[in-house]
Structure formats: C-alpha cells, structure tokens
Amino acid sequence: MLNKKNKKIDIIALFVIVALLFAVDIIAEMVAPRTSLFFSVVKKSCVYALVAVSMNLLNGFTGLFSLGQAGFMLIGAYTYAILTIPSEMRDSVYQYFDGGLVKNPIPWPLALIVAGLIAGIFAFLIGLPVLRLKSDYLAIATLGFAEIIRAFVQWDKFGPLTNGSNLLRGYPTFDSLATDWFGSPKFSSTIALAITVLCVLLIVLFINSTYGRALKAIRDDEIAAEAMGINLASHKQISFIISSFFAGIGGALLAMHQSTIQATAFKSAMTYEILLIVVVGGIGSISGSCIASFLYIAASEWWLRGLDSGSFLGIESSLFRGGFRKVVFSVIIMIIVLFFRQGIMGDKEFSLSRIIEKIKRKKKTPEKKTEKKEVVTK
C-alpha cells in the first residue's frame, strides 16, 4: 500500500512540476521582452535535455558507452530541414544544385517523426557490427561514425539532397510556428517545452517497462541477465535504436531553434557537451539530465555572460574580458565533479515521497534519543 501511495504522490508531484514549468514559461512570454536571453536558454535547454536523456538511456541504463549523439542529431536536423523547406524557397536555398531533389515539403510534425526514424535506421545498420564492441572500442567506433556522417553530408556528390557545405534555411522554426499560430513569436519556447516533455515522458515509460528493466539487468551484470533469458544482442540493439531515434528528434528541435543549419556545427565537441551534462546530472537519472541541461546552458550562455563584457553582478574589472567566462565556467564544472562525484542526482530520480520520508525520519530520531536517555536515568 505504501508503494502505491508513494507512486501516486510522485506522479502528482511530477504533473505539478510540469504544470509549474509551463506556467513560468507562459508568464515570462507574456511579461518579459522578446530580446531576453531566457527564451533562448529555455529552447536550447529543452533540446539538450532530450538529447542528454536519450544518451543516458544508452550510457546510464544499458551500460553502453556511445559517443555518436552528434551524428544522429545531424541526421535528424538535416532530415527535418530537407523535408520542410517550402517549395518556393528551394531554388534560392539549393541555388548550386538546381533546387535539390526533394521538391514538395511535408508537415513539420511528420518531419519530426521521420527525422527520428531515419536516425533509428542508421542506428540499426551501424549497430549490427558496432554493438559487438565494448567500452572504449564502442565509443571510438560511434565517434568515428559521427565524423564520417558529417563529412558525407558536406560532400558535393550529396549536394542535391544536403546542399553540400552550404546552409539550409527557410524551414519552420519555433518562432515561425508561434507566429503562424499566435500572430507573434511569443510562446515559441512553450512549443519547444511541450515537445520535449512529451518525448522525455515516452522515454520514462520505456525505462519503466519490461524492456527497461531488462536493460538495467544488462547494465548491472550481463552474464546474470543472459542466464535469466534476456537476449543481450536484441536488447542492446533496441536501446541503441530508441536512443538514436530521440537524438534525431533532438537534432530536428535544434534546427527548429536555429534559423539555419550546417554540418560544421555538429562536431565531436557537441557530443562531449551532452556527455558532460549526463555526468553532471547523474548517470542513470532522467531528472538529473534535465536539471543539468538547464544549469549548463543557463550558466554558459546567460548567467556568466557579464564576465566577457567587463561587468559582472555590478562589479567592473579589467579582468572581465572575452574568454574569461569559459575559465570561470570550467572551474565551476571541476568543483561540481569533485564534490558531486555521482552527479547532482546520482542514479536516483526526483521523488517527493522520498523527501517526505526523510523529513519524517529526522523528526522521529530526536524522540528516540530522549527516550533512551530516560531509560538510562531510571
């Protein structure tokens, strides 16, 4: 009964937190000016949160060390952009390739799903030989795949499809969708938040399913999992495909956040950023990845911005110059890694019922001590 009660409390708390997030975002959209960095931080945090959770599914819940997220994001971003550029803009976008191969656009929700599916298909093909490798070898193979994909996308032979090394633009973005729906770019960050919450919720449901429990068993002990009848190869393949599917959607969301997309942005440094978010949030914690995503983007692109412009928190100094923000940010990350070695959340999730139980225990412990003292005096 307690477990069911705790689950109900946690589910209610989750819905309340999500509702508060939407309420804060909507109020900010109505009150704050459009030039505020808050909205850009929210949109990029949503993108990185989804990709970090997808990476955590593979690295934290399955125990596979993959570094190919940037490659799958690239596939998703280009698939979305190619399929949604309006017909009247294709001649100007594909000006060096006679308007490109794809002539008719498809609706953006369908393009998001197709972006994830194409990334999943690539993951299936790559996973057949690569998932036989372990630890560092798997990381090197997936990292090599990401670099190869980036090189192929920029190759002129694929120009009629990918536009080569040129920019892709004109596709639907968060701002353009908000303008079409609400008559202004307001609530564009709300759209990003809604899509991210839906995708993360699907990942959480998968982790709590029988497949998710099997993945955790593989992570803890492969030999014991195989002895229990779990097919290691198929479950690893499923985890790899689903992780890549949501990484592809994350890449499409990144394209929606930006007005243009280019392959040069999807370098290995992007994968390292996402890996850092997973480690800081806690390997094996979905809520940790979401919290760390916002903290990482907000600190690097918003809160510490004054360190590059000469004034920070009302303090003016010649020390605050271009690049100093990265130095301070690196020191903060080092401190977090030193004092929170398992990340902010570790391998646990945010649980209101657990917090309530801890508070109750703290209230009970002093009473027990006083009772013991009375017995000794008697």
Side-chain angles (χ1 to χ4, degrees):
M1 292 295 291
L2 286 173
N3 290 334
K4 289 183 179 179
K5 187 178 180 181
N6 290 343
K7 284 182 179 179
K8 285 183 180 179
I9 292 171
D10 290 338
I11 290 170
I12 293 170
L14 178 64
F15 278 105
V16 170
I17 290 169
V18 172
L20 285 174
L21 287 174
F22 277 105
V24 169
D25 184 72
I26 291 170
I27 292 170
E29 290 277 13
M30 295 172 65
V31 175
R34 289 304 307 166
T35 54
S36 176
L37 280 171
F38 172 77
F39 304 114
S40 177
V41 167
V42 169
K43 285 183 277 191
K44 194 168 182 180
S45 298
C46 288
V47 174
Y48 273 58
L50 176 57
V51 181
V53 169
S54 71
M55 190 177 199
N56 215 342
L57 172 63
L58 199 61
N59 293 22
F61 290 93
T62 315
L64 298 174
F65 188 39
S66 171
L67 292 176
Q69 296 304 101
F72 295 115
M73 288 178 70
L74 183 148
I75 293 170
Y78 266 76
T79 302
Y80 173 81
I82 291 167
L83 294 177
T84 55
I85 295 174
S87 302
E88 62 272 13
M89 289 194 65
R90 290 191 176 270
D91 289 334
S92 61
V93 174
Y94 289 89
Q95 55 183 333
Y96 302 108
F97 301 100
D98 298 326
L101 289 176
V102 180
K103 300 298 182 182
N104 298 317
I106 64 174
W108 70 268
L110 181 60
L112 274 180
I113 297 172
V114 174
L117 290 174
I118 297 297
I121 291 169
F122 271 88
F124 172 76
L125 297 174
I126 294 158
L128 292 174
V130 164
L131 290 180
R132 298 178 183 179
L133 305 173
K134 293 185 179 180
S135 64
D136 299 342
Y137 301 102
L138 176 60
I140 293 169
T142 50
L143 183 63
F145 151 74
E147 293 298 317
I148 291 168
I149 285 292
R150 187 162 61 89
F152 268 105
V153 166
Q154 297 178 90
W155 192 21
D156 285 343
K157 295 292 183 180
F158 290 103
L161 183 64
T162 64
N163 205 24
S165 58
N166 303 302
L167 293 170
L168 288 177
R169 55 186 173 80
Y171 50 81
T173 62
F174 292 127
D175 289 342
S176 66
L177 290 174
T179 303
D180 292 340
W181 294 350
F182 308 110
S184 71
K186 283 188 175 182
F187 306 109
S188 59
S189 58
T190 310
I191 298 171
L193 185 61
I195 297 172
T196 301
V197 167
L198 177 61
C199 292
V200 171
L201 181 61
L202 291 174
I203 295 174
V204 170
L205 291 174
F206 173 75
I207 290 171
N208 291 323
S209 67
T210 53
Y211 280 101
R213 287 190 285 271
L215 296 180
K216 292 176 185 177
I218 293 171
R219 175 197 63 190
D220 295 335
D221 192 332
E222 287 191 7
I223 297 173
E226 192 172 18
M228 291 169 62
I230 296 173
N231 190 324
L232 300 182
S234 65
H235 279 79
K236 286 181 180 180
Q237 188 83 336
I238 290 170
S239 176
F240 192 56
I241 292 171
I242 292 176
S243 173
S244 304
F245 172 82
F246 286 104
I249 293 179
L253 294 182
L254 183 62
M256 295 177 74
H257 168 56
Q258 300 173 350
S259 57
T260 59
I261 210 75
Q262 195 172 20
T264 52
F266 295 89
K267 296 180 180 178
S268 56
M270 183 178 286
T271 299
Y272 300 147
E273 282 183 337
I274 297 161
L275 179 61
L276 179 62
I277 289 170
V278 172
V279 172
V280 169
I283 297 176
S285 174
I286 300 297
S287 54
S289 295
C290 296
I291 294 168
S293 298
F294 177 77
L295 294 177
Y296 180 86
I297 300 300
S300 61
E301 299 189 7
W302 185 21
W303 295 335
L304 301 178
R305 199 177 185 86
L307 293 173
D308 287 348
S309 59
S311 178
F312 181 68
L313 298 177
I315 303 170
E316 294 184 3
S317 173
S318 59
L319 187 64
F320 300 157
R321 61 183 69 181
F324 189 67
R325 172 178 52 171
K326 294 182 179 180
V327 176
V328 175
F329 186 62
S330 301
V331 172
I332 293 171
I333 290 173
M334 289 173 64
I335 292 170
I336 292 173
V337 172
L338 285 173
F339 290 95
F340 297 92
R341 295 189 177 183
Q342 292 185 340
I344 296 171
M345 296 295 294
D347 58 350
K348 297 178 181 178
E349 302 293 347
F350 176 80
S351 174
L352 184 61
S353 60
R354 190 183 295 115
I355 295 171
I356 293 170
E357 286 180 1
K358 284 183 179 180
I359 293 170
K360 287 181 179 179
R361 286 174 188 172
K362 285 182 180 180
K363 287 181 178 180
K364 287 181 180 179
T365 47
E367 294 176 1
K368 289 181 180 179
K369 288 181 180 178
T370 52
E371 286 175 3
K372 286 181 180 178
K373 286 181 180 179
E374 287 177 2
V375 171
V376 171
T377 52
K378 287 179 182 179

